[in-house]
Structure formats: C-alpha cells, structure tokens
Amino acid sequence: MENQVKIETEKKEKVKGVFDAKPTAAFISASWASLLIGMVSFCVGLWNATMDLNEKGYYFTILLFGLFSVISVQKTVRDRLEGIPVTDIYYGVSWFVTIVSILLLVIGLWNANLALSEKGFYGISFFLSLFAAIAVQKNTRDIKFLEQKES
C-alpha cells in the first residue's frame, strides 16, 4: 500500500513539472482564432448552402457534438495524467462519441449531393474546429492549474 502511495506521489510530482509553463499569448490567441475561424466558417458555409434545413441542422448538430466530445476527451486524458480519478466507462464513452461524431460527418458528406470542394470545406473546417477546441481547453486548463498553484 505504501508503495502505491509513493508511486502516485512521484507521478504527481512529474506531472507538476510538465504543466509549469504558461501557454504563450501567441498560442492562446492562435487557438482561439482557429476555433472561431473553424466554427464561423462551418456555420457560414451551412447558412449559404442550398441544402434543406434538416440537412443544415444535421451538420450543425454534428459540429456541436464533435466539439463537446473532443473537450471531454481532452479533459479525461488530462485528468488521468494528473492522477485525478476518471472511470473507464467515461473515458471510453468520451473516445467513442468523438469517433462517432467524425464518422457521422464522413458518412453525411459521403452521401451528400455536394461538390467535392464543398465536402472538403466542411471537413477541413470541422477538423480545424475540433483541433482548436482541444487547444483552447488545454490552454484554459494550464492557466487554471498555474493560477491555483500560485495561490
């Protein structure tokens, strides 16, 4: 039992060193800009699309679903790294819904009557948004971690 506590303490000490550097203002700005550009581009594309309203709703819902799921994955991965308990079920569900959101977009675009350039546009803006959401969540968590450490 003592050995397990010692291992957990050593793990937490290693993690503390990893997150001691505050993200730069440039990286924070680039992350937020990428998130906004990706989301706004995707939504403007939907607004201007000639598809039915139910199709627009499908793609918009997938965007929201994907954003939420990648934030959840980032949180669970980081929690585990920091030694915060995360159930295997929640961890698995987070990854599962992320994969499902991507598959739903791919299936929707594969079967859509859109030009290949439009399909590429939606795919790129979707993945830009997902990546940026992960970066924004990471930055937010790093800053909060350092603020708590300083106080």
Side-chain angles (χ1 to χ4, degrees):
M1 184 69 174
E2 283 182 37
N3 195 23
Q4 182 66 24
V5 172
K6 184 179 177 184
I7 291 170
E8 290 297 321
T9 305
E10 288 174 1
K11 189 188 275 186
K12 286 181 182 178
E13 289 302 317
K14 283 183 184 177
V15 169
K16 285 180 185 175
V18 171
F19 304 114
D20 281 344
K22 182 179 179 186
T24 64
F27 185 65
I28 293 169
S29 300
S31 299
W32 277 103
S34 297
L35 180 60
L36 291 173
I37 290 167
M39 289 175 56
V40 169
S41 296
F42 193 92
C43 292
V44 167
L46 285 178
W47 183 266
N48 291 320
T50 57
M51 59 181 83
D52 292 336
L53 192 57
N54 63 332
E55 290 176 282
K56 291 179 181 185
Y58 173 80
Y59 289 112
F60 182 70
T61 302
I62 288 175
L63 176 66
L64 296 179
F65 184 47
L67 290 171
F68 182 80
S69 67
V70 296
I71 290 170
S72 189
V73 165
Q74 197 281 338
K75 182 188 177 343
T76 57
V77 168
R78 181 71 174 263
D79 283 351
R80 284 187 164 197
L81 186 62
E82 292 178 3
I84 299 170
V86 175
T87 63
D88 289 338
I89 292 172
Y90 188 76
Y91 183 72
V93 167
S94 297
W95 275 106
F96 175 75
V97 296
T98 297
I99 293 166
V100 166
S101 70
I102 294 167
L103 284 174
L104 286 172
L105 179 78
V106 169
I107 291 167
L109 290 176
W110 184 273
N111 293 305
N113 291 326
L114 299 171
L116 195 55
S117 59
E118 290 176 289
K119 292 178 182 185
F121 167 80
Y122 287 116
I124 293 297
S125 58
F126 179 79
F127 282 105
L128 174 64
S129 299
L130 295 190
F131 177 78
I134 292 168
V136 167
Q137 168 66 11
K138 180 207 171 298
N139 292 339
T140 303
R141 182 114 179 214
D142 287 347
I143 292 167
K144 188 70 171 173
F145 179 81
L146 291 172
E147 285 174 357
Q148 287 177 346
K149 187 177 175 186
E150 290 171 359
S151 56

